[in-house]
Amino acid sequence: MLTEEEKKEIQEEIKQYPYPAVACIDALKIVQNHRGWVSDESVRDIAQLLSISNEEVDSVATFYSRIYRKPVGRNVILICDSVSCMILGYESLYNYISKKIGVSFGGTTSDGRFTLLPISCLGDCDNAPVMMINNDHFNRLTIEKIDELLDRYK
Amino acid sequence: MSMVKITIDGKQYEVKPGKNLLETCLSLGIDIPHFCFHPALGSVGACRLCAVKKFRDKDDTRGRIVMSCMEPVTEGLIVSVEDSEARAFRTSVLESLMTNHPHDCPVCDEGGECHLQDMTVMTGHNYRRFDFPKRTYNNQDLGPFISHEMNRCIQCYRCVRFYRDYAGGRDLNVYASRNHVYFGRYEDGTLENEFSGNLVEVCPTGVFTDKTLKNHFTRKWDLSNAPSVCVHCSLGCNTIASERYGSLRRIMSRYNGAVNGYFLCDRGRFGYEFVNDEKRIKTVQIRLHKNDIKVEQVENSQFSSTFDKLFSKDKFIYGIGSPRASVESNFALMSLVGKENFFHGISQKEYSLTKTISEYLLQSGIRTPSLKQVEKADAILVLGEDLINTAPMIALALRQAVRNISYNEASEKGIPVWNDAPVRELAQDKKNPLFIATLFSDSLDEIAEEFFRSSPKEIAKLGFAVAKVLDDKAPDVKIENSYLTRIAGEIAHSLKNASHPLIISGISYGDESIVHAALNIATALRSAGSNVMLNMVLPESNSMGLSLLPGKPLENALVSVEDKEIDTLIILENDLYRRISEDSVNTLFKKSRQILVLDHLVNKTTQKADLLLPAATFAGSEGTLVNNEGRAQRYYKAIDIKDQLKESWRWIDEFIKIRNESQTVRWNRLDDIVESLSDELAVFSKLKKYTPDADFRMLNAKISRQTIRYSGRTAMNANIAVSEPELSQDRDSPLTFSMEGQQENPPSSLVPFYWTPGWNSVQAMYNYLDEPDGSMKGGDPGIRLIEPVEGAKNSYFSPGSLDVETKEDKWIIVPVYQIFGSDELSSVSSSVMQRIDEPFVIMNQADADIISAADGEYSQLEILQNKLKVKIKIDNSIVAGFAGLSANLPGMPFVNMPCKGKFHKL
Amino acid sequence: MERPLTKHIKPGSVSLNMKDYIQLGGYGNLQKALKNIAPAEVTALVKASNLLGRGGAGFPTGVKWSLIPMDGDKSTPKYLVCNADEMEPGTFKDRYLLEGNPHQLIEGMIISAYAIQAGKAYIFLRWAYKKAEKILREAIADAYKSGYLGKNILGSGFNLDLYVHSSAGRYMCGEETALLNSLEGKRAMPRTKPPFPAISGLFGRPTVVNNVETLSWISHIVEHGAEWFKGLSLTPTGGTKLFGVSGRVKNPGTWELPLGISMRELLEEHAGGMTPGHKFRGALPGGASTDFLIEDHLDVKLDFSTVAAAGSRLGTGTMIVLDDKTCPVAFIHNVEKFFALESCGWCTPCREGLPWVEKMLASIEEGTGKMEYLDLLNFNAKFMGPGNTFCAHAPGAAEPLQSGLKYFHDDFVKHITDKKCPWR
Ligand SMILES: Cc1cc2nc3c(=O)[nH]c(=O)nc-3n(C[C@H](O)[C@H](O)[C@H](O)COP(=O)(O)O)c2cc1C
Ligand code: SF4
Ligand code: FES
């Protein structure tokens, strides 16, 4: 079941558009904002709210890389693995983080604290290597900075 | 239309403008490989297989690769299909598509008629250079009709484009992206759309295959095929029926540009299994004593003595025909018993409604549209007919009709009609006006401009009101409802301003005022100078054909005998218990000394037979059906019937011989009876000439039902005898049960399968059509028996009383027909059976509250001496005081609806 | 040297707010346009300036606008969309403009919308640009408050609503027609062209899609005129351009420079040359979807046509430098993996070709590659070439691949013969 708040936010988006289905991506993002990811149940709920089929919602949901159709941890670490960050050594950064939290790309720590994912170029190549944790952006990273950084996310 | 000159590989052609290069080439017989283009779905340019070289002008020697499906045919176009770079590119497309393909042709149901196989051979891809593991998918259970094997997918997007864009289905889609796209449902479960079976033909490989075929799988090349006609509703879609080892293996769509085009509904495609049912009547059976249940088989040698007794000259015989038997069989029966003693085998109500319609059409100046013309309509009123269940392919045609409004605007913007995605994008939700007046909501509502939900009488009122707005001379109706007045005005306005207005109605609500109203609208539009089309849906495959024969309704048989006794009552392919009340049938039977029944399957009527004769089904006989358009269409034997099985008309012919020894004309073959019919009844006069007779030969040969690759003829029966059985002779048609014969391009009504060199898949059809999505070469099969009459004058029906009283505790029970379940024969198919609902009643919430029933609960419905256990389904679209009862489901008694009913707690 | 686009961008990525923007004369050009210039004249002015689109393809902006039907039914909505998706690896110029001077873009958009008489405008923003999103939303709110957006803007009778749509992540969204599908709440699949968005765009209505940098120019062109704009570049192209350099250079960053400066100048004077101990081996001059240029090309002048003549594309103008300590095969593999992951899955060469390429490159990099792969890589690069695919994604991916195979052939061979990556 969608919460009243989620529903209200989605309705707000619908108003902008010529028909409700246009708000599909917005709705997915709103739900993910509140819950971290989009469950099968949420897909059904969104479908109902927008008067479209589950298939239509999931077709869109599975297309976009920033819609998570599987549960993620409380904090999502996104390490840029694109070319400029590769040149500047994202791999050692990744290895360090991966070892430290004990999961590789795609994994979630057993305490649900972190999910570790690759992301393509974050548009900050002159400050590589770059990563995001949740909505926060970090650049010119060095292994030394990582411990302190991760500590901020519980 | 002025033609344009184009150059293909150095050769000049004059072609029609407005098409794309791919379809143009295909109609010229130039094979360009392709996947994603489908003539009914248009072009999207996804697969990139149809690449050709395009040259700027004569001096351009380099040219550039373009997709022929996206290339408009314009004056002076210069292209090369054979260009080596274009060829190499097409081969590369195949190579890359095959990188992940499982190469499982030997175990794939599509093998041997696979578009992907055809294209692999056509492009010449034969060596695999991809040496990495293949991507794999999980498959889904999609219900009783369709199997799913995603690993074979080549991502042409045809499935979703057909299912979603063309057929309006919502529960199939594409998921994920890149080379992980997945086509399926959100979760396992039955594909809900009524046209899902077309995926089998639309999908170019073995992702979606016919699950019912799996149970008795046969390769295309091992099937023996016949052009056939669907027997499950009144639209007469053309089919190909295919046989092996004496059983019917599958039904595929047979192209008819004027009727079903490329497609079929699921009832038509999957309803065939009754032919193979265990309960099929295959021998002549006789009841030993009147009250003895025991039946005994009759040997061939005993036939004459048995029949002599029944049909001798002095016997008083009644014949009961059937709307699901061929025109010929009904005619034969009529000839046997005489017009006076021939009954149509349908209730008084159905009889008079059908007659009203056929007589109106025969005398009016109004055209009955083909399904293709339905697609061209630009303003449509559906008055009281639940199309998706009673005439599914009209519903599909309407989905196309509402779209064609966008074609003009697209053309203005330079977007050709075949450029599918932009045309849809441009149209947004703009649609041709479609008005639907029905009892409850269905999936067509979403494309309707407006829908009107009410009782049958109110719907009729709306119709009369529309007629009145259109023509002041039309009879008046009293209307208190301002909404109704407004919408009637709107409908009239839309219809009047349209260039191809269309009225669709029918008799399934069992209400003559609806029929009268529909006919009045047509009359009114015509008198206003409109080019109106009128499509009246009838209940069964030969309802129209039967209606064109003399004869009386079933009840008359009862009344007319009174205290006489019938010596022999002969019932043709008809379960009378589905037609009138049980008591009436029993009374009729009591008055009959001998009951002879001809039918395919055991039913309540056959159980009462004193003599039961096995009648061939559509798949084992030739005959003519007349669809609701008035189009007579011949179907041909797919199965070579053996032993005691015979066509009904052949059985009857024997009786005629007994009854009338002096009769010199014998019906040795179908052509003979068709000739008698044509000569005797003027409406059928065109019948004898429209399709080649049995003597027809092409290059001195008959037309083969089997492909040249048919295998196992000498071995098929080796378990019985090692010698090759004698080839059975088919005296009724120019088709032969053999692969020896004419294979290429027979006359359009005689096409048993599609095959041309290079094309083993259904796409071989291109070579049978004058152009993709056009007509069959030589004209589409079938002959219209009903044509508008020049200068005809129609009079109006008067509305009569349209008042209904509803009572607190009594509901008016209206019929709710079901695509799966309401049709007698298809309901015996095991796959269809899985889709049949248990008996139910739909009513709105407030009414359900009155009888304190919740959605999904059971209740007892007391209705005309019957007590039925029904499931309550809440549907707030149905108006208060009315409840819809699932009609004619297997096992349900006949109920003459609309009628009153009462609910009791169970 | 003039730097019209960036001169007011404060260092340390502090955004220029409404007050400061107005103090610098901001929104004056909007007033000027609304009061004194007819919509068609704005288009004519932009056309005269020869402003080439800065989104990568370099299509003349004025020409694009002039395709919008201006005489049609007034009730037919029209749209303006700013493409701020910027997801091409190695590209980071739009972010700089979005965060640094949002009002420059907004003012440019209002004038542009006025020129084509669009009533609604969208900024299609990359998901990851959270800071830019915040800045833009605030800036738009401010613009509404000051009457630059909304109904009857500055009393001119012109109405415009401007929305920010933050994406759900996918490179394909940057392709202008896929972007429109995404704005419609659908899968971001590219559309057939023709019809071009100017004829049938968002919701099937006339639409212009322009890049952030392109739109940021508009108010300047209105202010100073077409001739001024043309004079900004060193070659006849017109205008300055945001250039960027990333990779192992001393001073990676973004600079606004005249079109037509040489690659050497950009690399050495602005990016400070290679970091000590590293040698230049080549560069993708305009983002991941452009062909490699190598040392021989260092004197190539960076504008659209000259770079094209040298066998590459100016693209987004943001250069990714390959140094001698980075394995070229790994570099190319990284780029191709990106493209393979971001393929939308619509057309065959891209959907099937890219994963094949990616697998072969991975295999070569791991030391399990075969000599035949070199032919197969070339084969696939050609297979995914322009005209063969539905949109420009796969042809873009083919560029670094085909040129990399040419320029770093020996490195590929060495991987295969040594059965290992020499850099590992
Ligand atoms: C795969 C792909 C991705 C693209 N991504 C972007 C992008 O992120 N930003 C952008 O401005 N243009 C992008 N483009 C180019 C756009 O399609 C379009 O040409 C551009 O937005 C037009 O703006 P302009 O005329 O101002 O250059 C991309 C093109 C392709 C084929
Ligand atoms: S090149 Fe083809 S598959 Fe690739 S992104 Fe474009 S349309 Fe999609
Ligand atoms: S048929 Fe032309 S691209 Fe598929």
Side-chain angles (χ1 to χ4, degrees), chain B residues 46 48, chain C residues 172 175 189-190 342-351 354 389-395:
Chain B
R48 317 307 281 178
Chain C
M172 190 44 58
E175 199 283 335
M189 312 298 281
E342 295 299 334
S343 164
C344 76
W346 179 248
C347 75
T348 307
C350 173
R351 185 187 60 241
L354 280 169
T389 58
F390 191 82
C391 82
H393 178 80

Side-chain angles (χ1 to χ4, degrees), chain B residues 179-248:
Chain B
N179 75 336
H180 275 263
V181 285
Y182 186 93
F183 299 85
R185 292 187 83 249
Y186 173 69
E187 57 197 349
D188 284 33
T190 301
L191 283 171
E192 284 160 14
N193 188 269
E194 293 80 3
F195 305 96
S196 68
N198 296 299
L199 292 175
V200 172
E201 289 177 60
V202 163
C203 171
T205 172
V207 178
F208 299 101
T209 53
D210 180 340
K211 202 181 249 182
T212 68
L213 172 63
K214 241 180 197 42
N215 301 327
H216 39 229
F217 184 70
T218 308
R219 290 273 174 226
K220 174 182 180 177
W221 65 71
D222 281 344
L223 288 168
S224 186
N225 315 279
S228 193
V229 175
C230 181
V231 295
H232 304 296
C233 86
S234 68
L235 302 183
C237 295
N238 291 199
T239 60
I240 290 176
S242 305
E243 174 267 9
R244 176 90 170 168
Y245 281 115
S247 78
L248 190 60

Side-chain angles (χ1 to χ4, degrees), chain B residues 227 254 328 622-624 632-636 670-671 674 686-696 703 732-735 746-751 780-783:
Chain B
R254 179 164 62 100
E328 290 83 355
E622 267 90 11
T624 305
Q633 304 187 100
R634 175 86 55 91
Y635 56 87
Y636 294 87
L670 190 77
D671 293 325
V674 169
K686 291 191 234 166
L687 211 55
K688 65 177 164 192
K689 282 281 166 277
Y690 95 91
T691 177
D693 65 19
D695 294 329
F696 175 81
I703 296 151
D732 294 319
S733 82
L735 294 158
S748 65
S749 56
L750 283 167
V751 174
D780 287 312
I783 181 88

Side-chain angles (χ1 to χ4, degrees), chain B residues 533-833:
Chain B
M533 301 183 285
L534 176 67
N535 193 329
M536 299 299 289
V537 175
L538 297 177
E540 284 171 66
S541 58
N542 201 25
S543 292
M544 181 61 89
L546 185 62
S547 174
L548 299 178
L549 288 171
K552 288 174 274 199
L554 187 51
E555 285 92 334
N556 286 29
L558 260 173
V559 182
S560 59
V561 280
E562 282 180 355
D563 41 30
K564 274 184 287 182
E565 272 212 326
I566 304 164
D567 291 320
T568 306
L569 177 69
I570 161 164
I571 300 166
L572 170 69
E573 301 176 25
N574 202 341
D575 179 3
L576 303 187
Y577 288 97
R578 291 174 65 93
R579 307 290 178 186
I580 52 177
S581 74
E582 180 159 5
D583 289 349
S584 312
V585 182
N586 288 342
T587 314
L588 180 64
F589 285 173
K590 267 197 211 104
K591 289 189 174 167
S592 310
R593 289 211 182 90
Q594 295 290 327
I595 302 167
L596 182 150
V597 180
L598 292 139
D599 214 338
H600 329 305
L601 288 163
V602 174
N603 57 38
K604 257 174 109 173
T605 300
T606 63
Q607 282 164 355
K608 292 284 167 72
D610 298 299
L611 184 63
L612 182 58
L613 302 184
T617 63
F618 77 95
S621 61
E622 267 90 11
T624 305
L625 300 173
V626 185
N627 75 358
N628 74 326
E629 177 197 349
R631 179 182 293 265
Q633 304 187 100
R634 175 86 55 91
Y635 56 87
Y636 294 87
K637 261 193 197 95
I639 302 176
D640 177 21
I641 46 172
K642 293 216 168 65
D643 306 323
Q644 294 188 331
L645 260 175
K646 249 186 231 177
E647 298 88 340
S648 291
W649 63 266
R650 273 222 155 86
W651 281 119
I652 298 170
D653 179 48
E654 303 223 355
F655 313 151
I656 294 179
K657 184 176 61 178
I658 297 165
R659 186 138 175 97
N660 191 357
E661 280 161 12
S662 62
Q663 179 163 349
T664 45
V665 202
R666 281 300 313 277
W667 296 329
N668 286 318
R669 53 184 212 180
L670 190 77
D671 293 325
D672 302 335
I673 184 169
V674 169
E675 186 154 343
S676 302
L677 171 63
S678 300
D679 294 346
E680 209 166 303
L681 296 168
V683 252
F684 291 104
S685 62
K686 291 191 234 166
L687 211 55
K688 65 177 164 192
K689 282 281 166 277
Y690 95 91
T691 177
D693 65 19
D695 294 329
F696 175 81
R697 297 290 181 273
M698 287 179 83
L699 302 172
N700 288 326
K702 283 194 141 196
I703 296 151
S704 38
R705 284 180 170 87
Q706 298 162 358
T707 70
I708 35 176
R709 292 168 187 169
Y710 191 84
S711 69
R713 183 166 85 188
T714 54
M716 281 174 77
N717 301 305
N719 59 330
I720 302 160
V722 288
S723 61
E724 188 180 332
E726 198 189 332
L727 188 68
S728 6
Q729 297 303 321
D730 180 358
R731 49 189 156 140
D732 294 319
S733 82
L735 294 158
T736 165
F737 288 104
S738 159
M739 66 279 230
E740 282 111 11
Q742 185 59 32
Q743 296 268 348
E744 269 169 59
N745 277 317
S748 65
S749 56
L750 283 167
V751 174
F753 57 84
Y754 301 106
W755 185 84
T756 30
W759 299 92
N760 294 303
S761 67
V762 284
Q763 334 292 319
M765 209 183 279
Y766 293 126
N767 295 298
Y768 294 76
L769 308 187
D770 59 2
E771 63 183 8
D773 211 23
S775 300
M776 293 284 287
K777 282 181 184 158
D780 287 312
I783 181 88
R784 282 170 57 94
L785 303 181
I786 301 176
E787 290 290 357
V789 182
E790 286 288 321
K793 270 226 161 327
N794 302 308
S795 49
Y796 286 108
F797 296 91
S798 92
S801 161
L802 295 175
D803 298 328
V804 263
E805 31 146 358
T806 48
K807 274 215 195 101
E808 256 295 278
D809 60 336
K810 274 202 178 165
W811 275 260
I812 296 186
I813 310 294
V814 287
V816 177
Y817 284 86
Q818 296 288 286
I819 179 170
F820 303 120
S822 297
D823 164 63
E824 184 183 352
L825 297 177
S826 62
S827 301
V828 181
S829 282
S830 58
S831 60
V832 170
M833 243 182 250

Side-chain angles (χ1 to χ4, degrees), chain B residues 8-33:
Chain B
I8 306 171
D9 288 311
K11 218 174 133 190
Q12 280 232 351
Y13 297 87
E14 277 211 6
V15 298
K16 271 212 286 202
K19 302 260 162 190
N20 64 57
L21 178 59
L22 175 58
E23 46 186 344
T24 302
C25 285
L26 291 170
S27 26
L28 291 171
I30 301 169
D31 290 340
I32 301 181

